[in-house]
Amino acid sequence: MTTIIDNIETIKKQIEKTALGCGRDPESITLIGVSKRKSAATVSKALDAGSSDLGENYIQEAVDKIDALGRDRACWHFIGHLQSNKARFAVQYFDYIHTVDKIKLAREIDKQAAKVGKIQKILLQVNIAKESTKSGALARDAVCLARELAGFENVSLEGLMCMPPYFSDPEDARTYFKQLGHIKQEIMAAGVASLTHLSMGMSNDFRVAIEEGSTMVRVGTAIFGGRD
Ligand SMILES: *Cc1c(COP(=O)(O)O)cnc(C)c1O
């Protein structure tokens, strides 16, 4: 069995190789270790191995873990479905919220951020393959929604996030990553917001995502092993 330290090292090398292979600066890609359903003790190993960015999906679980590990030990990314009534915790604990897909949620985040004097970094989640089981705005609504998100004072729209269907051949996900890149271009061309990030790519398909411009890859299983 490989250790978390080895896994992180391997993935970092793969990110570097893939980036250089397509003429990108490896430094422009952030590896987010997705630690949902992993204990604080396990996550602590990733921190010791030099993980700078961690992603969590469930607010209560994340709050307990972050309290145990220390808010300042990493850059924390919220990547799960967020209900408006939990926005307060997401704002308190997370540097980035990747899963904003509705105005109502953005309004609540804005309100909570104002209360604590913070500009909350967010990404707009796009349901890129129009899957009924997944959250996210539809691609055709993305520009319009981005314009509204960009209007909030205490929220900073930093980019787009997507989660295509799982394919055993990651090449099959390429078309969706490409589409998210196009939406980013469209939003920039319309002068709506200057977007830095494309949050896309998971354990199985992060190399393809990097080739299509990903700046944040969210890797769980390949670092921490399978989840129960
Ligand atoms: C769980 C999860 C990941 C990580 O998935 P792996 O396949 O384990 O790498 C990435 N992004 C989101 C939104 C997730 O929920």
Side-chain angles (χ1 to χ4, degrees):
M1 207 182 89
T2 55
T3 66
I4 289 170
I5 300 181
D6 294 335
N7 294 344
I8 291 172
E9 210 43 53
T10 304
I11 291 160
K12 280 188 176 163
K13 282 201 189 106
Q14 289 169 339
I15 290 172
E16 185 177 2
K17 184 162 175 253
T18 308
L20 295 175
C22 61
R24 295 188 57 199
D25 176 4
E27 297 288 316
S28 68
I29 298 147
T30 301
L31 170 59
I32 301 174
V34 175
S35 45
K36 61 174 173 240
R37 296 198 218 127
K38 297 292 168 183
S39 68
T42 301
V43 180
S44 185
K45 288 183 191 150
L47 290 170
D48 290 343
S51 278
S52 57
D53 290 73
L54 290 165
E56 288 283 345
N57 288 62
Y58 310 105
I59 285 289
Q60 189 55 55
E61 179 190 324
V63 162
D64 293 345
K65 242 184 272 183
I66 296 171
D67 278 339
L69 291 164
R71 173 73 186 81
D72 297 333
R73 299 242 350 249
C75 179
W76 298 95
H77 300 258
F78 189 76
I79 63 171
H81 178 65
L82 184 60
Q83 288 168 309
S84 296
N85 62 1
K86 302 275 174 63
R88 177 161 64 97
F89 299 105
V91 167
Q92 265 173 31
Y93 281 85
F94 288 89
D95 298 286
Y96 285 85
I97 302 173
H98 290 229
T99 47
V100 179
D101 61 353
K102 287 186 180 68
I103 284 301
K104 181 181 173 227
L105 175 59
R107 192 175 292 127
E108 190 58 27
I109 292 171
D110 182 63
K111 188 175 132 194
Q112 297 300 335
K115 272 193 202 164
V116 293
K118 175 184 187 186
I119 305 291
Q120 179 65 51
K121 292 178 182 167
I122 64 164
L123 280 74
L124 167 58
Q125 181 178 2
V126 180
N127 186 350
I128 202 74
K130 298 189 203 163
E131 292 172 276
S132 60
T133 53
K134 283 189 187 150
S135 331
L138 291 176
R140 65 163 180 270
D141 299 330
V143 177
C144 186
L145 198 47
R147 185 172 280 118
E148 294 195 69
L149 297 181
F152 286 107
E153 261 183 47
N154 301 285
V155 158
S156 170
L157 178 63
E158 304 278 316
L160 306 177
M161 179 272 209
C162 78
M163 193 161 133
Y166 175 86
F167 297 104
S168 52
D169 180 358
E171 272 304 319
D172 294 340
R174 189 180 294 278
T175 178
Y176 296 112
F177 295 142
K178 226 183 253 300
Q179 281 176 44
L180 198 70
H182 288 156
I183 297 169
K184 176 170 172 253
Q185 294 311 326
E186 218 183 312
I187 290 169
M188 307 259 286
V192 168
S194 162
L195 303 182
T196 311
H197 291 295
L198 282 175
S199 166
M200 55 189 199
M202 315 193 343
S203 291
N204 185 49
D205 54 15
F206 70 86
R207 296 177 201 76
V208 176
I210 288 170
E211 287 167 0
E212 297 301 331
S214 174
T215 63
M216 291 171 159
V217 292
R218 312 180 307 265
V219 179
T221 313
I223 292 176
F224 295 105
R227 293 175 290 267
D228 301 330

